[in-house]
Amino acid sequence: MAGKTLYDKLWDAHLVHESDDGSCLIYIDRQLVHEVTSPQAFEGLRLTGRKVWRTDANLATPDHNVPTTNRAAGVAGIIDPISRLQVETLDQNCADFDIPEFTMDDIRQGIVHVVSPEQGATLPGMTLVCGDSHTSTHGALGALAHGVGTSEVEHVLATQCLIQKKSKNMRVSVDGQIPFGVTAKDIVLAIIGKIGTAGGTGYAIEFAGSAIRDLSVEGRMTVCNMTIEAGARAGMVAVDDKTIEYVKGRPFSPKGDDWGNAVAAWADLHSDDDAVFDCEVTLDAADIEPQVTWGTSPEMVMPISGSVPNPECELDSVKRTGMERALEYIGLDADTPMNEIMIDKVFIGSCTNSRIEDLRAAAAVAKGRKVASSVVLAMVVPGSGLVKQQAEAEGLDKIFTDAGFEWREPGCSMCLAMNADRLEPGERCASTSNRNFEGRQGQGGRTHLVSPQMAAAAAVAGHFVDVRDFVNTIGEAS
Amino acid sequence: MRAFTQHKGVCVPLDRPNVDTDAIIPKQFLKSIKRSGFGVNLFDAWRYLDHGEPGQDVSTRQLNPDFVLNQSRYAGASVLLARDNFGCGSSREHAPWALEDYGFRSVIAPSFADIFYNNCFKNGLLPIILDAESVDQLFSESADSEGYALEIDLGSQSVTTPSGEKFDFAIDNFRKHCLLYGLDDIGLTLQHVDAIKIFEAKHRATSPWLFS
């Protein structure tokens, strides 16, 4: 019999019940809760008189709606009354149902997918869900993690389980030395460019290979975060020494004897050598360049040395029409060199790229330089209050503000523009977020997804540039 | 949950691949703490020429005459015909809520994004996967004939065109059963309460750090 994949192991370890028709009940170890996808779930519990199965398995924090400026007044300071009500409703629901919550004025508040690993609330071997598609992030720690809808949020609150059918196994292997200037973000964008936004539909993806192992745990989170952009609900990376080192000593991490026992148990969280995957994809890290998206889907991506593709060269008529539509929306002509695309705004943040290493990387490019005068707004939004605190301790905030970036309070911010941070119609943004959909960052706004380094370099140059050249030659630090 | 057994309704073709849930229901409407009322803002950025905000009186808004849902021949449509990877992106269940609230009972496409597909079943909305060739045929027939209606029968897992042509579709047995009878998932799961408790006790014994 063939060995098991990491996904098989995580699945088997949480299987509560399997029906004759193949539908399964899977036990969920952790649920993360935020204000947007939970109110109707709590309302459902109230209407049916159901209780929360295990309150301590949940952790809540508001992130989508919170403002990134003027936070002194807390929830009461949210100007938009509808947003304010949603955050107040989360606070009330957490109080009523006894759910642990990091409220807006708590230093630990932030984007759920930054907060939970930071606290050690995401652990290897766990099953973890959240009413947010970027829950795939947590798979970077060797967990089975994916987004769910609000009905499933309620289901997990009430039963600690999820009704699931097992996905197929896909392995994406990236081998070889990661070139200078290439980051986890570029790797995952290159993967999505290769397999497409529906390439992973129906699969759980394990990211493997020497280039993935060489990434830091935070880098692996960036890769797993965008698994959903390739169509797969869950992405994961095998546990290694880096994972253990990352988890050690965090507030929710195992302590005392539990620590040793947990580490021993986690040693098995990798695919067996003889495991068989339903689909294998391989990339050579040496071929990957810094990436920039050119269209309205994350699969519409190009290396910085390339040009906007020409729909006339596309043979598939549905795809060609999609490309034409994307170019019309994004306001670009075919064959425009990527490094000639001018930008209006820069957003460094989101659950993809707002951790301390992301901010350090962006600051290294911004240091001693100035945001171009043609850029109307360049903002840095840390992923959590603790990331912000750490960045300030390292003086990164000063580097950013000296360069002309705005230094903001933690939240989802302009990744999806539910708060006041947004693009105006026609504005073009270099963004470290995860989705370049039409209107995602504001109606009529035009999003180009890039790494933190590439975003910082674009802010200084006023247009996309190859960060590899930039660091050495262009926009010399003063 | 509302049951789905059979349905006959006018079919509206939305001819673009990768329609994401941000397009189905834009983010500003996600601030609502209710489960209903999203239908008027379904496909908001495509359907209206002006920018929409929650709580607006939509009767005062400017409709985009080019958007397919606004064309009079598709008024009252309840079956949405779509392209590949429909419902990709965000996990927001507000997307099926908006489709259902607008009046759709079924979406037919060659493929769906996983989370959206799953969310539909929790809301009495039937997502039907047909092969790309059959979907192409439905697109062209619905464009050619006004009032083109499809008859959907979940029991026999079939879609029937006005000419009587039948397309069979596959569906997971458990989901079919729940939809046919409008069953509440949580109620069903709680029938396994003993199995959950037994699993949990064992899990706690082997991995106590997950319970502290």
Side-chain angles (χ1 to χ4, degrees):
Chain A
M1 203 176 109
K4 287 181 174 184
T5 66
L6 171 58
Y7 172 62
D8 294 338
K9 290 179 183 181
L10 292 166
W11 176 272
D12 291 348
H14 292 86
L15 182 62
V16 174
H17 177 80
E18 182 166 2
S19 299
D20 296 341
D21 62 10
S23 77
C24 298
L25 266 189
I26 292 296
Y27 190 84
I28 301 301
D29 294 313
R30 175 79 66 208
Q31 174 156 249
L32 304 174
V33 179
H34 64 86
E35 78 276 23
V36 178
T37 56
S38 67
Q40 299 86 353
F42 286 111
E43 189 58 21
L45 292 183
R46 283 197 185 88
L47 288 171
T48 50
R50 289 178 176 134
K51 304 239 178 318
V52 174
W53 183 282
R54 245 187 80 199
T55 56
D56 67 327
N58 298 279
L59 180 62
T61 193
D63 55 6
H64 284 62
N65 272 284
V66 298
T68 57
T69 53
N70 300 325
R71 288 269 283 269
V75 185
I78 303 178
I79 294 165
D80 177 353
I82 310 177
S83 285
R84 188 170 63 238
L85 177 62
Q86 200 166 50
V87 176
E88 285 168 348
T89 303
L90 178 70
D91 292 351
Q92 190 61 51
N93 283 330
C94 289
D96 289 352
F97 288 91
D98 201 21
I99 304 281
E101 184 196 5
F102 299 154
T103 53
M104 249 180 79
D105 52 0
D106 190 313
I107 185 83
R108 299 169 294 178
Q109 176 271 338
I111 307 172
V112 278
H113 309 310
V114 174
V115 167
S116 182
E118 180 175 80
Q119 289 294 318
T122 302
L123 293 173
M126 259 187 176
T127 46
L128 183 152
V129 297
C130 173
D132 189 286
S133 60
H134 292 112
T135 307
S136 54
T137 309
H138 307 266
L141 290 158
L144 175 56
H146 59 78
V148 294
T150 297
S151 295
E152 289 178 318
V153 171
E154 183 182 342
H155 194 280
V156 174
L157 285 170
T159 70
Q160 212 53 51
C161 292
L162 207 52
I163 301 171
Q164 288 266 282
K165 269 224 159 154
K166 200 175 170 196
S167 302
K168 288 180 287 183
N169 280 290
M170 179 189 287
R171 178 161 58 190
V172 176
S173 303
V174 189
D175 279 297
Q177 181 83 28
I178 303 171
F180 169 74
V182 172
T183 69
K185 181 65 163 286
D186 304 299
I187 291 173
V188 71
L189 284 171
I191 292 168
I192 296 163
K194 179 165 175 146
I195 70 174
T197 51
T201 303
Y203 291 97
I205 299 182
E206 180 176 344
F207 297 98
S210 64
I212 301 294
R213 285 195 298 276
D214 285 347
L215 290 174
S216 68
V217 171
E218 291 192 3
R220 295 171 189 179
M221 287 187 213
T222 299
V223 172
C224 288
N225 172 275
M226 290 191 72
T227 313
I228 186 66
E229 263 50 76
R233 291 178 94 166
M236 63 201 80
V237 176
V239 170
D240 63 6
D241 291 346
K242 285 183 189 174
T243 324
I244 308 289
E245 194 51 41
Y246 177 90
V247 171
K248 196 174 184 180
R250 294 183 184 267
F252 286 65
S253 296
K255 305 281 184 308
D257 288 348
D258 274 350
W259 175 253
N261 294 334
V263 170
W266 296 340
D268 189 45
L269 294 175
H270 57 82
S271 290
D272 294 333
D273 290 341
D274 57 345
V276 177
F277 288 81
D278 301 293
C279 177
E280 293 256 19
V281 176
T282 56
L283 282 86
D284 186 345
D287 295 340
I288 302 175
E289 288 185 48
Q291 307 279 310
V292 184
T293 62
W294 56 266
T296 54
S297 163
E299 70 184 11
M300 295 174 166
V301 66
M302 265 295 149
I304 180 65
S305 62
S307 300
V308 175
N310 196 326
E312 284 174 16
C313 304
E314 175 59 58
L315 300 175
D316 180 316
S317 68
V318 174
K319 272 194 186 155
R320 186 166 59 243
T321 312
M323 288 170 76
E324 285 165 353
R325 218 196 121 69
L327 289 182
E328 191 190 332
Y329 179 86
I330 211 91
L332 288 176
D333 293 327
D335 302 321
T336 306
M338 296 306 292
N339 60 14
E340 288 180 10
I341 300 171
M342 301 294 292
I343 53 158
D344 305 300
K345 284 185 176 170
V346 177
F347 172 62
I348 296 173
S350 87
C351 57
T352 313
N353 280 131
S354 65
R355 296 177 182 82
I356 190 67
E357 291 173 12
D358 299 317
L359 303 190
R360 285 176 190 145
V365 174
K367 190 172 185 179
R369 299 189 169 98
K370 293 283 180 205
V371 172
S373 58
S374 57
V375 172
V376 296
L377 173 70
M379 60 194 293
V380 184
V381 185
S384 71
L386 290 172
V387 170
K388 180 168 184 269
Q389 188 180 54
Q390 175 65 28
E392 288 171 355
E394 296 177 20
L396 305 184
D397 58 324
K398 187 80 171 50
I399 292 173
F400 286 121
T401 51
D402 283 352
F405 286 84
E406 291 193 13
W407 179 247
R408 299 288 188 93
E409 301 291 334
C412 298
S413 181
M414 207 162 71
C415 172
L416 86 167
M418 269 190 84
N419 69 355
D421 309 333
R422 66 186 62 164
L423 298 181
E424 297 303 321
E427 279 186 337
R428 190 180 299 286
C429 183
S431 179
T432 66
S433 56
N434 40 55
R435 290 191 174 129
N436 51 347
F437 297 158
E438 285 185 23
R440 170 80 178 181
Q441 295 192 291
Q443 196 163 345
R446 296 159 170 172
T447 302
H448 296 268
L449 304 177
V450 288
S451 72
Q453 287 93 317
M454 285 287 284
V460 173
H463 56 86
F464 291 108
V465 290
D466 191 330
V467 70
R468 296 169 299 182
D469 304 334
F470 186 85
V471 172
N472 297 322
T473 56
I474 308 169
E476 198 150 294
S478 55
Chain B
M1 185 186 71
R2 187 176 177 189
F4 188 112
T5 49
Q6 290 162 322
H7 176 75
K8 186 178 179 181
V10 170
C11 169
V12 55
L14 182 63
D15 195 4
R16 10 182 137 178
N18 300 317
V19 170
D20 57 77
T21 53
D22 274 80
I24 297 172
I25 183 81
K27 84 287 262 137
Q28 62 270 34
F29 306 107
L30 272 51
K31 295 175 187 176
S32 168
I33 55 171
K34 299 199 171 76
R35 213 176 179 120
S36 57
F38 296 102
V40 290
N41 300 113
L42 175 70
F43 298 120
D44 197 274
W46 294 344
R47 200 161 142 204
Y48 302 97
L49 292 170
D50 55 341
H51 176 76
E53 283 295 330
Q56 237 173 340
D57 175 6
V58 290
S59 68
T60 63
R61 296 184 61 193
Q62 225 184 325
L63 289 170
N64 175 5
D66 295 334
F67 186 57
V68 70
L69 245 56
N70 292 332
Q71 294 166 11
S72 57
R73 60 179 290 189
Y74 298 118
S78 57
V79 178
L80 183 65
L81 193 57
R83 294 291 188 185
D84 265 315
N85 201 25
F86 187 83
C88 62
S90 155
S91 61
R92 59 189 69 168
E93 198 163 319
H94 310 67
W97 294 341
L99 287 160
E100 200 268 345
D101 195 57
Y102 177 89
F104 285 113
R105 301 290 339 264
S106 177
V107 186
I108 301 175
S111 63
F112 291 91
D114 276 347
I115 303 179
F116 173 82
Y117 183 78
N118 194 49
N119 283 341
C120 285
F121 287 99
K122 317 286 182 191
N123 295 284
L125 185 67
L126 174 62
I128 296 175
I129 300 171
L130 293 181
D131 61 80
E133 208 177 304
S134 306
V135 171
D136 268 344
Q137 185 186 330
L138 297 181
F139 262 97
S140 105
E141 287 181 8
S142 64
D144 290 347
S145 117
E146 195 164 336
Y148 184 84
L150 292 171
E151 211 171 325
I152 297 164
D153 183 61
L154 178 54
S156 68
Q157 298 176 211
S158 65
V159 176
T160 308
T161 70
S163 69
E165 192 175 356
K166 229 175 214 176
F167 296 94
D168 294 332
F169 61 89
I171 187 169
D172 170 76
N173 276 338
F174 177 76
R175 285 172 163 148
K176 176 179 173 180
H177 177 76
C178 291
L179 205 48
L180 278 174
Y181 297 98
L183 299 178
D184 164 26
D185 272 1
I186 297 177
L188 289 176
T189 295
L190 288 174
Q191 292 174 2
H192 298 290
V193 67
D194 291 339
I196 300 171
K197 284 184 173 164
I198 290 166
F199 175 90
E200 193 170 56
K202 201 177 77 192
H203 198 45
R204 188 189 288 269
T206 54
S207 308
W209 55 87
L210 296 174
F211 292 80
S212 49

